[in-house]
Amino acid sequence: MADPSPLLPVSNSLEPNYSPVPEGPVSAGCPATHLRRSKKVLIAVFSGLFVVSLILATINNNNGARHVQYHSQEDEDATLVTPKEMAKPETLSPAGSRGVSAGVSEKANVNLKVAQVKDYPWNNSMLSWQRTAFHFQPEDNWMNGPLYYKGWYHFFYQYNPHAAVWGDIVWGHAVSKDLIHWLHLPLAMVADKWYDKNGVWTGSATILPDGKIVMLYTGSTNESVQVQNLAYPADHDDPLLLKWVKYSGNPVLVPPPGIGAKDFRDPTTAWKTSEGKWRIIIGSKINKTGIALVYDTEDFINYELLSGILHGVPKTGMWECVDFYPVSKTGQNGLDTSVNGPQVKHVVKTSLDDDRHDYYALGTYADKVGKWYPDNPEIDVGIGIRYDYGIFYASKTFYDQSKGRRVLWGWIGESDSEVADVKKGWASLQGIPRTVVLDTKTGSNLLQWPVEEVESLRLKGKNFNDIEVKAGSVVPLELDGATQLDIVAEFELDRKAIERTAESNVEFSCSTNGGASHRGALGPFGLLVLADDDLSEYTPVYFFVAKGNNGSLKTFFCTDQSRSSVANDVRKEIYGSYVPVLEGEKLSVRILVDHSIIESFAQGGRTCITSRVYPTTAIYGAARLFLFNNATEAGVTSSLKIWNMNSAFIRPYSNEQQ
């Protein structure tokens, strides 16, 4: 039975923003169906025009962005003429490519010339090995708001129940007691209304003070307009939250004037303002300036668009899957999203639709005006620090009140061909959940670390102490298996070699300096994971140290996929970035290897890299692990602790389990 009072008190005078539009195709030669509002709402439209003009003026003054032209007209029915891109309905085909313009991102083999690359002859043994053992993924097909409720971690994710490609997106649902072992539940929400007919997209959950839950999610209408919808559990007493109810007055938010029909998505978890209202932000863009729109609400049905924006950065394009949360300056515990004060910094994170990477920045939040200011504009949102320098996208944090921590979860796509995905019957997975805290030693970045529960999967461990790896050498590490590992390693460079190394003004880059085969005086050195005995396939995870003109050392952390597979239809990129290393710190890395995924955390999680690799011979019992040092001058001493990892128990749902 549906909860008779799912939300905060609501206004009796509520009028829906949009009227349902016909779900059939528009006839050729006929004008597009308009989205109608009442005359009362027309007043809000012109108010919205004024608000957006203020936004544009702010961005123009600060960033030089051009003004967006938005046309409207009146008639006796107060019809609103939509932007050009809203005028023509778009059919989203499961088998077709959506592209950036369609909204939420999909797989794109950007480095593969499909017409020129012949499919590799993958066999069932190779494809079966690629499926992970302790990362969450659906039972099959295409695989984002998490929360903790009544003893269960809930994960809602975008899912295609019909194919291992993008399309027919609904919400899958799974629960866990420990973020490691999972129980699949029935679909939480499907695309069955005009306001989400083309997809139930990203959303966020907010737990109210009375313990009830509200969920805001983006729906793509039958005319491919992005709108925000409200849903809530049918029974708040059900810890599994098996049934969800869509609010009868959906959508509760539509694109404001000046914002494109396909540029309005992904509402955040709500937080409390100093005035006692709830506040959310929604990702968007104006021209090529990525922005976060700010809305206040008291009942999650009626919303006020604040003047201006939370923040915007020119040339970053569409901001999707935006996130906003506080981190403590003094402690290592996570904070509830509503916490503010002098001992808090605020994180703004966005997923950039243009390059499919997740960026964040630290700054100060001004509650009274609903604005956020970066600590360092040179590393602002979208132009500075990334959560992860590999394949990691559409991430979302939630506050885990049971353990007082903030947990980050990211979507890990594939980098093989879509043909291979169809053959194996599934595509993409979730990274291991990570705790997120401020790095109080640097004050300029976050620390990400696998949740402690993953350590429960550790089996037999093996220590390797003070292993000397001479310049230009490879050292095998004898293990019982090498496809499911938790590796903790430290490295020390020969100090005398550092002193005699000549200073240089040459700039280093992981992606452009030849990968692990590029030899410098002080690197590269690290580990070769998922390697075979002949080293015909291997994936280096490594450090490279550069000595500058003033004698200072700058350290980079990289992963090189260029030799990860002999297959020709997979992407083989070289990832990485600078990693801060403070005086007296050893170089350290933790690596989780789970078949086709490698997650690496350098210096306690200051710089992270996630890779997908698809070896053909370095699989099953043939997979090996090596230390390597490709430096020309410096020797390296390494100590490691390595555990084989058990598989997680991820099981299907049955009615008997209620």
Side-chain angles (χ1 to χ4, degrees), residues 133-135 178-181 432 451-461 484-486 590 592 594 643-650:
F134 57 88
H135 284 73
D178 60 5
L179 292 171
I180 301 299
H181 306 284
I432 289 295
V451 294
E452 61 185 2
E453 289 89 339
V454 74
E455 296 173 16
S456 67
L457 297 176
R458 288 173 171 173
L459 300 173
K460 182 181 178 181
Q484 294 175 211
L485 298 175
D486 188 352
R590 183 177 179 185
L592 296 175
D594 187 5
W643 294 267
N644 287 103
M645 296 290 278
N646 204 348
S647 298
F649 187 32
I650 302 175

Side-chain angles (χ1 to χ4, degrees), residues 51 117 361 376 379 610:
V51 170
V117 175
N376 182 355
I379 52 173
T610 299

